[in-house]
Amino acid sequence: MSEAAAWIMKINDTLYISVSRTELVHIISDPEMIPVPRAPSYCRYITLWNDNILPVADFTRLINKENNIINNHIVAVTSYRDHDQNVQYGGIMLAESPVLEHVKNDQFCGLSDATVKLRAISLSCFTSKRGFQVPVIDMSKLFSSEYSAMLEQQP
């Protein structure tokens, strides 16, 4: 049976997401979060890492636009390729440090509990060994201008 490694990231008590083993680059504890006026509601902050300015995605805010509090004090630095195949970096606010899990084909599941927004930026979904659904996020979509406009329009 085929197997792949995924970093499971706790966003809050009810939401977990994942990225592939190779996409997680670094973890920043208690980063300085700098607000960006007129940025998409789910990506209102940037942080600095290795002389790079990183947009930081807040999945709690993506799902619930009324959330105005930064509760998460960990940022996962992820890498992805943009539409020109250049390597880019972005951050994701986390509630705790990610956990590596080896996922097998029989753990595949549908995105039954996912919102339209989460479905739009997910590649797949699996059931973790602890029993919760974990969408696999397409980082290039999360940080693309095309998808940010669509994500802002969705309820």
Side-chain angles (χ1 to χ4, degrees), residues 1-136:
M1 179 170 289
S2 192
E3 183 177 281
W7 286 104
I8 298 178
M9 302 179 179
K10 182 177 181 179
I11 304 301
N12 57 39
D13 288 337
T14 60
L15 179 61
Y16 293 81
I17 64 167
S18 68
V19 297
S20 79
R21 179 180 54 87
T22 60
E23 289 177 311
L24 180 63
V25 177
H26 193 79
I27 300 294
I28 307 171
S29 296
D30 294 318
E32 179 182 1
M33 302 297 280
I34 304 161
V36 179
R38 299 175 38 167
S41 63
Y42 67 92
C43 205
R44 291 228 165 129
Y45 294 92
I46 59 171
T47 195
L48 302 175
W49 172 76
N50 286 357
D51 296 326
N52 291 298
I53 297 172
L54 301 180
V56 179
D58 180 350
F59 275 83
T60 300
R61 190 165 181 92
L62 176 67
I63 304 304
N64 178 7
K65 283 190 178 186
E66 281 71 49
N67 179 33
N68 292 316
I69 301 167
I70 298 177
N71 291 328
N72 300 349
H73 300 286
I74 298 171
V75 169
V77 177
T78 60
S79 67
Y80 63 95
R81 293 199 178 268
D82 64 18
H83 65 281
D84 294 325
Q85 297 304 306
N86 297 313
V87 175
Q88 302 293 333
Y89 298 97
I92 301 173
M93 287 187 194
L94 304 179
E96 56 189 49
S97 292
V99 175
L100 188 64
E101 183 171 314
H102 294 276
V103 181
K104 297 181 180 173
N105 288 343
D106 63 357
Q107 290 175 262
F108 171 80
C109 66
L111 288 162
S112 61
D113 293 339
T115 66
V116 172
K117 292 177 184 181
L118 207 47
R119 286 178 198 261
I121 57 172
S122 296
L123 297 167
S124 185
C125 186
F126 63 91
T127 302
S128 75
K129 293 175 181 166
R130 293 160 80 200
F132 44 82
Q133 284 188 343
V134 183
V136 179

